[in-house]
Amino acid sequence: MMMLRTGQRLAFAGISATALLLPGCVAAVPVGAAAVIGKNVVFPGGGEDENENEKAEDAEKAARKQARELEREQRRQAKREAKRREQAEEEGSPPALQATTAPTRPAMAAAGTVPAGMQYLYGSGEAAALSSQAYRALAQHVRASADYRQAGIEVASVVLAPGSSLASPHFVECGAKPLAIVLDIDETVLLNLGYEADEAARGLSYDDARWRRWEATGAGKVDPVPGAVEAISAARRAGVAVVYISNRTAANAPATTRALEGAGLGKAIPGETLLLKEEGAGSGKDARRAQVAETHCVVALVGDQLGDFSDLFSAPGMTPAARRAAADGVQIEPLWGAGWFMLPNPVYGTGLKGGIADVFPANRRWTDPGAAAAAGVSAATPKE
């Protein structure tokens, strides 16, 4: 016989209640998922001897502690979010437009130490393989699109049309417009080795003024992302235009064109095939994507942040869990590798957000039985 004890009822109630503290948190920690935790944490047998009562009391205490810790964490998250929104409102712009040229970075390591994200992106064979994989898929997609167009078969745009939502996307009409692909620049086609090496060597964090100096003077200290040169060259040979949209500053356009050309990525014309961020403009890219889509049928978008595909991913109130759910949702997921191509970037950006409650679903938490036993607590592990 399996009996549900007081501790398990408390764990279920506590997690279910705290899931309602943050806007959007129900999607991340649904009440149904909390129920799975509650019904799986059970004790065998139904005896009422003193030893088992002690175990039940210990479990109840552990459950109370877990619920309190989760509640405190979510309240802290809510306060941080409220403060961020308040600051954004005082500055006169929505939270989605507060991002800098290179948003969110993790805390820097000590000077002379290379952070794990940099080790991976700039030094590992794994990152090179992922990038080459993405660009090989891009080249195949672009080649197929060009062949379809030549055969008179209709080709579809992958730029979201005005009025779209992530739950109900629709796309700009192509008609007979010439084909194009649109790519981000930083950590999408260029690896900013010089800038990141300086940051790691001196243990610095992101600074906008230093980044602008890098834009202006670092053209010779970059490498192309593995696979980018070959895929972009193949697109041009197929008669497909290559357009770059970046939040690098327009004032540094000449240096950016030198960086692209020096890395083997071809010429880019500011205002035509190189659309940069104007002084004082927001960080969103939808308007520039729409500008390209007016004259071209955009068959591929390439980037390292979700904002390189749609500003909808940066809408106010989008929690990490909501963004992930949207990217993996039934309407958007089919686009990855079939018009939308994502490059790895664990160094900086909008993807590096979230506390434990945001990143790890409550129904996938695990407590090490060894650690619990050492603390004198009888721990039960949820069933897989």
Side-chain angles (χ1 to χ4, degrees):
M1 177 179 178
M2 304 291 278
M3 296 185 64
L4 185 65
R5 294 293 186 187
T6 304
Q8 285 71 61
R9 290 194 297 270
L10 177 62
F12 165 69
I15 295 171
S16 299
T18 53
L20 303 177
L21 291 175
L22 286 176
C25 207
V26 174
V29 190
V31 173
V36 172
I37 294 178
K39 72 181 182 182
N40 281 334
V41 183
V42 296
F43 289 108
E48 298 297 334
D49 58 77
E50 183 177 347
N51 184 48
E52 187 165 339
N53 286 337
E54 288 177 356
K55 289 181 180 180
E57 290 174 2
D58 288 340
E60 182 173 342
K61 290 178 182 178
R64 288 176 189 269
K65 182 179 179 181
Q66 182 183 18
R68 286 196 301 270
E69 289 175 349
L70 181 58
E71 183 175 353
R72 283 195 294 268
E73 172 61 25
Q74 293 190 325
R75 283 177 175 170
R76 285 193 292 268
Q77 281 287 107
K79 288 180 180 178
R80 286 194 291 267
E81 178 67 15
K83 185 176 180 180
R84 185 180 72 84
R85 291 175 181 277
E86 183 178 342
Q87 289 175 341
E89 289 173 0
E90 290 175 355
E91 293 171 9
S93 59
L97 301 183
Q98 296 300 309
T100 60
T101 304
T104 313
R105 289 177 181 249
M108 289 302 299
T113 302
V114 181
M118 290 187 189
Q119 290 175 331
Y120 188 88
L121 183 59
Y122 305 117
S124 78
E126 287 84 351
L130 282 173
S131 297
S132 294
Q133 179 175 274
Y135 273 113
R136 182 165 287 105
L138 170 68
Q140 293 170 350
H141 177 80
V142 171
R143 179 70 264 175
S145 298
D147 288 346
Y148 290 154
R149 172 58 65 85
Q150 188 173 7
I153 300 172
E154 185 177 357
V155 179
S157 169
V158 294
V159 174
L160 293 183
S164 290
S165 69
L166 295 176
S168 180
H170 52 283
F171 301 87
V172 175
E173 293 291 335
C174 268
K177 299 173 190 173
L179 305 185
I181 61 174
V182 172
L183 307 97
D184 174 50
I185 292 178
D186 298 303
E187 278 57 62
T188 295
V189 298
L190 289 181
L191 294 176
N192 293 290
L193 298 179
Y195 178 87
E196 301 298 350
D198 177 68
E199 188 163 280
R202 297 197 285 154
L204 302 174
S205 58
Y206 176 77
D207 175 76
D208 189 60
R210 187 163 60 90
W211 174 259
R212 290 184 181 227
R213 293 194 295 272
W214 160 253
E215 285 184 2
T217 64
K221 305 297 182 182
V222 298
D223 272 354
V225 169
V229 171
E230 296 80 3
I232 290 170
S233 297
R236 289 191 170 111
R237 288 195 301 271
V240 178
V242 175
V243 182
Y244 298 104
I245 295 180
S246 169
N247 280 340
R248 285 183 170 226
T249 56
N252 285 326
T256 294
T257 60
R258 289 195 300 272
L260 290 167
E261 191 167 0
L265 296 164
K267 292 184 179 180
I269 303 172
E272 296 182 21
T273 57
L274 178 63
L275 305 180
L276 302 176
K277 183 174 175 287
E278 298 292 340
E279 193 67 36
S283 60
K285 296 182 176 181
D286 276 354
R288 284 173 282 173
R289 280 186 285 266
Q291 179 182 335
V292 179
E294 285 181 3
T295 58
H296 288 77
C297 174
V298 179
V299 296
L301 298 173
V302 190
D304 65 315
Q305 314 283 327
L306 288 175
D308 293 323
F309 304 91
S310 173
D311 291 349
L312 293 172
F313 288 108
S314 301
M318 285 284 279
T319 64
R323 293 176 84 243
R324 184 179 178 92
D328 194 40
V330 65
Q331 297 294 339
I332 298 299
E333 188 275 336
L335 289 166
W336 301 118
W340 289 9
F341 298 86
M342 179 69 77
L343 276 294
N345 184 358
V347 178
Y348 64 85
T350 53
L352 304 183
K353 293 180 180 180
I356 290 176
D358 297 302
V359 176
F360 301 103
N363 65 335
R364 290 297 181 267
R365 310 283 175 81
W366 176 78
T367 300
D368 182 1
V377 177
S378 177
T381 304
K383 297 177 181 178
E384 290 295 326

